[in-house]
Amino acid sequence: MQIAKVRGTVVSTQKTRTLTGMKLLLLQFIDADGQLLPKYEVAGDTVGAGIDEWVLVSRGGAARIESGCEIRPLDAMVVGIIDTITVENRLLYSKKDEYRRPALGAQ
Amino acid sequence: MQIAKVRGTVVSTQKTRTLTGMKLLLLQFIDADGQLLPKYEVAGDTVGAGIDEWVLVSRGGAARIESGCEIRPLDAMVVGIIDTITVENRLLYSKKDEYRRPALGAQ
Amino acid sequence: MQIAKVRGTVVSTQKTRTLTGMKLLLLQFIDADGQLLPKYEVAGDTVGAGIDEWVLVSRGGAARIESGCEIRPLDAMVVGIIDTITVENRLLYSKKDEYRRPALGAQ
Amino acid sequence: MQIAKVRGTVVSTQKTRTLTGMKLLLLQFIDADGQLLPKYEVAGDTVGAGIDEWVLVSRGGAARIESGCEIRPLDAMVVGIIDTITVENRLLYSKKDEYRRPALGAQ
Amino acid sequence: MQIAKVRGTVVSTQKTRTLTGMKLLLLQFIDADGQLLPKYEVAGDTVGAGIDEWVLVSRGGAARIESGCEIRPLDAMVVGIIDTITVENRLLYSKKDEYRRPALGAQ
């Protein structure tokens, strides 16, 4: 999975019928130092993620594993809202205080 | 899914038999600021997207989920025509007035 | 699908048994302006594409959809020979006269 | 598979129900010379890999092959802890003495 | 498929049980001019490829098509040892004499 930040929503009325009722979030990817990348993904969400939350996004067939999603043409899905990311016993990110510091530079 | 703009069509007569009757659109990808990228995809379309419309494109197995597409060797499919993209309560794109402004720069 | 030009063939005698009898073409990818890219793919072909022809190549599970290919370990397949590519009512490529001009620059 | 180093863990409470009980590791990719890359992956782990160990990570559907994982929306999984990497009869990496030297430069 | 050169082997004792007995090769990718790229893949091998041989590698679900591999969490597999690569009637590579010359530059 990749780490991404929820930035917004995408609305589509004229769409494949099986996408009806699926919330679509605009996610911006985050690199290993916690910085926003230009890369994004529009993903389905059944977890209930909100703007600015950091989430885990699964891509490919993993987006259609959840019950009810087998028939939806999704290739990306939010699978969890991140509480903490810990790197070698240091806290890189915590949802609680939105604390983060660079931690994954090349050695 | 990725956001793309419909730029044109691709016609192929000598092809895998199961692609018969499937409209193939040439899509150009759009980055998180609404700018056209050099990256493109030729995708099937059953939604009825037209030139210049912004669409959501699903890739991989998601392109073969729709009823009737299980037997077609597609790896990309238009799954919806985008009405609006909203980023942190600001409108990045609206089909109605084709209004858009940069909104996803790194913070 | 991506657009590619047939450049040559790859021959392998010592291979997975299920690849026996499958013609393998060396395809070079073409960008949205019709220029050759360094990126390539070795793909199966049942359509009968010839050297210098522009083809559509499907990747991933799409390469194993065609009847008889379910048991072959292919991840890329030629699914059609391109007749024409039209971008906003202008002809980008035509197999007949091999006419092409740049048409997909960023706006 | 790709070679990666275990750097940390990701914790998510509000997540897809089927991810319950699955340990999620933050892996940083390693290039062919044994150097850390900026690229990372959050992957499931049932092998029991620890911080700083070098592992093999499988992506895509391969992450859902293991018994019990078919219903989990994972797209990356640790499939083995690496003991040794040998390149042309020279040892590039050994878990025992963490010995490594560049070995895969272009010829 | 991509073209790669066999560079070495990867050994893992503590791994997913279903990988037992599967030989894992370290492959380095080769570009369309026959030059080694920094990109690599660790792939299963049942074809019997040896050091320095050029092989075809399939990725994704294609790595689990071969009989017995459906239950192995592999995402890359050697599917053939390359005898010859021919580009527009010129020999780019021949296993017999390891002859090769640049042949795929942009036109």
Side-chain angles (χ1 to χ4, degrees):
Chain A
M1 283 79 69
Q2 293 294 299
I3 299 167
K5 188 178 188 174
V6 181
R7 298 302 306 277
T9 53
V10 176
V11 174
S12 166
T13 310
Q14 193 174 337
K15 63 189 165 193
T16 302
R17 192 181 50 80
T18 51
L19 284 182
T20 304
M22 174 56 64
K23 188 170 189 182
L24 299 176
L25 297 180
L26 180 60
L27 308 177
Q28 195 170 355
F29 283 62
I30 287 173
D31 71 13
D33 284 326
Q35 303 301 307
L36 285 168
L37 295 167
K39 200 175 175 187
Y40 72 93
E41 194 80 51
V42 178
D45 175 43
T46 60
V47 170
I51 296 289
D52 281 346
E53 286 191 307
W54 286 28
V55 298
L56 285 171
V57 56
S58 269
R59 291 179 291 173
R64 300 184 299 279
I65 289 292
E66 214 177 315
S67 177
C69 287
E70 305 87 348
I71 58 162
R72 299 182 194 265
L74 294 164
D75 62 3
M77 181 67 89
V78 173
V79 297
I81 299 169
I82 297 174
D83 293 312
T84 58
I85 303 173
T86 307
V87 176
E88 289 167 358
N89 302 320
R90 288 179 296 147
L91 204 59
L92 171 67
Y93 168 80
S94 167
K95 185 187 166 184
K96 195 178 168 188
D97 49 17
E98 295 189 332
Y99 172 81
R100 62 176 188 262
R101 59 178 159 181
L104 282 186
Q107 294 189 320
Chain B
M1 283 78 71
Q2 293 294 299
I3 299 168
K5 188 177 187 175
V6 181
R7 298 302 306 279
T9 53
V10 176
V11 173
S12 166
T13 310
Q14 193 174 338
K15 63 189 165 191
T16 302
R17 192 181 49 81
T18 51
L19 284 182
T20 304
M22 174 56 64
K23 187 170 188 181
L24 299 176
L25 297 180
L26 181 60
L27 308 178
Q28 195 171 354
F29 283 63
I30 287 174
D31 72 13
D33 284 326
Q35 302 301 309
L36 285 168
L37 294 167
K39 200 175 174 188
Y40 72 92
E41 193 81 52
V42 179
D45 175 45
T46 61
V47 170
I51 295 290
D52 280 347
E53 286 191 306
W54 286 27
V55 297
L56 285 171
V57 56
S58 270
R59 290 178 291 173
R64 301 184 299 278
I65 290 292
E66 214 178 316
S67 177
C69 287
E70 305 87 348
I71 58 162
R72 300 182 193 264
L74 295 164
D75 62 3
M77 181 67 88
V78 173
V79 297
I81 299 169
I82 297 174
D83 293 313
T84 57
I85 303 174
T86 307
V87 177
E88 289 166 358
N89 303 319
R90 288 181 295 145
L91 204 59
L92 172 66
Y93 168 80
S94 167
K95 184 187 167 184
K96 195 179 168 188
D97 48 18
E98 294 189 332
Y99 172 81
R100 62 176 187 261
R101 58 179 160 181
L104 282 185
Q107 294 189 320
Chain C
M1 284 78 71
Q2 293 294 299
I3 299 167
K5 188 177 187 175
V6 181
R7 298 301 308 276
T9 53
V10 176
V11 173
S12 166
T13 310
Q14 193 174 337
K15 63 189 164 191
T16 302
R17 192 181 50 81
T18 51
L19 284 182
T20 304
M22 173 57 63
K23 188 170 189 181
L24 299 176
L25 297 180
L26 180 60
L27 308 177
Q28 195 170 354
F29 282 62
I30 286 173
D31 72 12
D33 283 326
Q35 303 301 308
L36 286 168
L37 294 167
K39 199 175 174 188
Y40 72 92
E41 193 80 53
V42 179
D45 175 44
T46 60
V47 170
I51 296 289
D52 280 346
E53 285 190 307
W54 285 28
V55 298
L56 285 171
V57 55
S58 269
R59 291 178 292 172
R64 300 184 299 279
I65 290 292
E66 215 177 315
S67 178
C69 287
E70 305 87 350
I71 59 162
R72 300 183 194 264
L74 295 164
D75 62 4
M77 182 67 88
V78 174
V79 297
I81 299 170
I82 297 174
D83 293 313
T84 58
I85 303 174
T86 308
V87 176
E88 289 166 358
N89 302 319
R90 287 181 296 145
L91 204 60
L92 172 66
Y93 168 81
S94 167
K95 185 186 167 183
K96 195 178 168 188
D97 47 17
E98 293 188 332
Y99 172 80
R100 62 177 187 261
R101 58 178 160 182
L104 282 186
Q107 293 190 318
Chain D
M1 284 78 69
Q2 293 293 300
I3 300 167
K5 188 178 188 175
V6 181
R7 298 302 306 278
T9 53
V10 176
V11 174
S12 166
T13 310
Q14 193 174 336
K15 63 188 165 193
T16 301
R17 192 181 51 80
T18 50
L19 284 183
T20 304
M22 174 56 63
K23 187 170 189 182
L24 299 176
L25 297 179
L26 181 60
L27 308 177
Q28 194 169 354
F29 283 63
I30 287 173
D31 72 13
D33 284 325
Q35 302 301 308
L36 285 167
L37 294 168
K39 199 175 173 187
Y40 72 92
E41 194 80 52
V42 178
D45 175 44
T46 60
V47 170
I51 295 290
D52 281 346
E53 286 190 306
W54 285 28
V55 297
L56 285 171
V57 56
S58 269
R59 290 179 292 173
R64 300 184 299 278
I65 290 293
E66 214 177 315
S67 178
C69 287
E70 304 87 350
I71 58 162
R72 300 182 194 265
L74 295 164
D75 62 3
M77 181 67 90
V78 173
V79 297
I81 298 170
I82 296 174
D83 294 313
T84 57
I85 303 173
T86 307
V87 176
E88 289 166 358
N89 302 320
R90 287 180 296 145
L91 203 59
L92 172 67
Y93 168 80
S94 167
K95 184 186 166 184
K96 195 178 168 188
D97 48 16
E98 294 188 331
Y99 172 80
R100 62 177 188 262
R101 59 178 159 181
L104 283 185
Q107 293 190 320
Chain E
M1 284 79 70
Q2 293 293 300
I3 300 167
K5 188 177 187 174
V6 181
R7 298 302 306 278
T9 53
V10 176
V11 174
S12 166
T13 311
Q14 192 174 338
K15 63 188 165 194
T16 302
R17 191 181 51 81
T18 50
L19 284 182
T20 304
M22 174 57 63
K23 187 170 189 182
L24 299 175
L25 297 180
L26 181 60
L27 308 177
Q28 194 170 355
F29 282 62
I30 286 173
D31 71 13
D33 282 326
Q35 302 302 308
L36 285 168
L37 294 168
K39 199 174 174 187
Y40 72 92
E41 194 79 53
V42 179
D45 174 44
T46 60
V47 170
I51 295 290
D52 280 346
E53 285 190 308
W54 286 28
V55 298
L56 286 171
V57 56
S58 270
R59 290 178 292 172
R64 300 184 299 279
I65 290 291
E66 215 178 315
S67 178
C69 287
E70 305 87 348
I71 58 162
R72 300 182 194 265
L74 295 164
D75 63 3
M77 182 66 89
V78 174
V79 297
I81 299 170
I82 297 174
D83 294 314
T84 57
I85 303 174
T86 308
V87 176
E88 289 166 359
N89 302 320
R90 289 180 297 145
L91 205 59
L92 173 67
Y93 168 80
S94 168
K95 185 186 166 183
K96 195 178 168 189
D97 49 16
E98 293 188 332
Y99 172 80
R100 62 177 188 262
R101 58 179 160 180
L104 282 186
Q107 293 190 318

